[in-house]
Amino acid sequence: MKKLLLIHTGGTISMLENKETGEVNSTDEHPLSNEVKLIDTELNIDEHIEFSLPSPQITPKHMLKLANKVESVIPDYDGIVITHGTDTLEETAYFLDLVLTTEKPVIITGAMRSSNEIGSDALYNLLSSIRVATTSDAFSKGVLVVMNDEIHTAKNVTKTSTSNVATFQSPQYGPIGIITKDSVIFHHDILSRPSHPVRSINKHVFLLKAYAGMDEQIVEAIYQLKPDGIVIEGLGQGNLPKETLSIIKRFINEQIPVVLVSRCYQGIVQPTYGYDGGGKQLKEIGVIFTNGLTGPKARIKLLIALEKTKNIESLRKIFEEEK
C-alpha cells in the first residue's frame, strides 16, 4: 500500500464560497478532508496543515519552511501532494524545485473555484494530483504542477488567466504530461534539474518591469534601498532604454547583481542588439542573462543563489546552468 502525505497551505482550494454574498474565504476545517478519506482504499493518505494562507500572503520564508517540512517527512512517504493558492503557486513550485533534493514525486495543485462553487475544479485537481504522485513515471522529474488534466514543470508553468480553470500553462513548451480517465501519460522528460539547498532566505531582491520612456529614476530609487540584487523584465530580446545604463553600471560596479529577463511571455533574452541599452551592451557591462525564466521565477532563483554566493560571475554560472 502506497503512502502519501497531503500538505495544505491555504488558497481557494481550501476555501468556501458564501452563498449569500459570493465572498470566498477561509474555513476552520479543510473542505476536502472528508472526500480525501474516500479517495482510494489502496492508498494510505495522511494530512497536514502547514499554513492556512491566501497565496498573496505567502513569502519566500514560508516557501523555505514548506521545503524543510517536505525534506523532513519525505523518507516516510512515497510522494507528497501540496495544495496551494494559485496566485503565487508557480513561485512556490519553482522555489521547491530548486531547493529540494528528493527524487520522489512532489506535486502542487490548487483550484480556481472553491469546493462549493458551481463547476469547482478543487476536488478534481486534488484527485488528479494524487494519481500523478502515485505513478512511478513521476519520479525524478522535480516538482510538478497538476491542474486541469495537465502536468507541468515548476520551471515553465505560469498562471495565464485571472479566472479561467485552464489558467496554468507552459508557454512555448507545453505540459510534460496529461491525465486521462485511465492513465497518467508523460510525453516529455526533464533534461537537467540542478538543486540548490539553502538553510535561510534573508536577501532583498526587487523585480522591475521595463517600459517605454523608462529612465534612471525608478532604478535609482531601488538603489537607495540597498538591495542585494534586482531582476528587470526587459524589452523584447533583452533591451532597456539607454537612460537606465548609468545606474545599472553603478549596481554592477558595486557587485550588486542585475538579472535580465524579457517581459515577453515567450522566448529567451539574448545579446543581439548593439545600440545603447541593447542586449549586447548590457551583457558586456555584466548584466546576467537568464534562460527563459519569468521575472518572478528569476527573482526566486536569485534569492536562493545569493544565499550561496555574492560573486557575480558565480551567480552567472548558476543562472546559465539550465538550458
Side-chain angles (χ1 to χ4, degrees), residues 26-292:
S26 303
T27 62
D28 294 331
E29 183 179 351
H30 198 283
L32 297 180
S33 290
N34 291 330
E35 283 83 352
V36 167
K37 296 170 185 175
L38 303 174
I39 283 174
D40 192 335
T41 56
E42 297 300 315
L43 286 175
N44 184 348
I45 301 177
D46 292 336
E47 284 190 84
H48 169 73
I49 296 177
E50 185 69 17
F51 315 119
S52 185
L53 294 171
S55 67
Q57 296 178 16
I58 296 285
T59 70
K61 290 187 182 295
H62 289 111
M63 297 173 194
L64 180 61
K65 185 179 178 184
L66 180 59
N68 290 337
K69 178 65 178 181
V70 172
E71 288 283 15
S72 69
V73 301
I74 195 69
D76 300 324
Y77 293 93
D78 296 295
I80 304 284
V81 173
I82 300 167
T83 64
H84 196 286
T86 59
D87 285 353
T88 59
L89 184 150
E90 63 199 83
E91 288 164 86
T92 295
Y94 189 55
F95 185 101
L96 295 177
D97 194 57
L98 286 174
V99 304
L100 294 179
T101 59
T102 182
E103 296 300 315
K104 293 180 180 180
V106 176
I107 314 299
I108 300 190
T109 193
M112 296 302 291
R113 298 171 185 164
S114 62
S115 60
N116 66 334
E117 288 185 66
I118 294 174
S120 173
D121 54 338
L123 181 58
Y124 188 85
N125 284 339
L126 181 57
L127 290 169
S128 296
S129 298
I130 289 171
R131 288 178 62 198
V132 175
T134 57
T135 180
S136 58
D137 289 340
F139 274 73
S140 303
K141 288 185 170 62
V143 175
L144 300 173
V145 174
V146 173
M147 299 277 289
N148 199 44
D149 282 334
E150 293 182 338
I151 308 166
H152 296 265
T153 65
K155 178 184 176 183
N156 294 326
V157 75
T158 190
K159 187 175 183 178
T160 63
S161 168
T162 59
S163 56
N164 195 310
V165 293
T167 181
F168 281 93
Q169 305 288 328
S170 294
Q172 189 164 263
Y173 302 101
I176 66 166
I178 60 173
I179 302 145
T180 71
K181 290 185 181 298
D182 299 323
S183 307
V184 174
I185 304 168
F186 285 91
H187 48 73
H188 292 311
D189 208 346
I190 306 296
L191 295 179
S192 65
R193 189 174 65 86
S195 182
H196 300 283
V198 292
R199 302 184 67 177
S200 62
I201 290 289
N202 293 310
K203 307 303 180 185
H204 296 284
V205 174
F206 292 87
L207 172 61
L208 300 175
K209 183 187 286 285
Y211 51 86
M214 181 182 187
D215 59 22
E216 77 284 354
Q217 291 184 73
I218 184 67
V219 191
E220 175 72 40
I222 297 299
Y223 175 82
Q224 297 300 325
L225 296 174
K226 303 185 184 305
D228 297 295
I230 62 169
V231 176
I232 303 178
E233 293 185 3
L235 307 167
Q237 292 187 44
N239 310 301
L240 292 171
K242 65 180 181 180
E243 290 77 13
T244 63
L245 281 175
S246 60
I247 184 62
I248 287 173
K249 288 179 181 177
R250 199 187 319 169
F251 270 86
I252 294 167
N253 289 339
E254 296 186 20
Q255 291 297 298
I256 302 171
V258 178
V259 174
L260 187 70
V261 304
S262 177
R263 72 179 195 179
C264 301
Y265 74 95
Q266 293 195 63
I268 62 173
V269 288
Q270 303 175 86
T272 301
Y273 291 96
Y275 53 73
D276 284 350
K280 185 174 185 297
Q281 188 179 49
L282 294 174
K283 190 153 191 176
E284 287 173 351
I285 66 174
V287 172
I288 298 171
F289 280 46
T290 58
N291 285 309

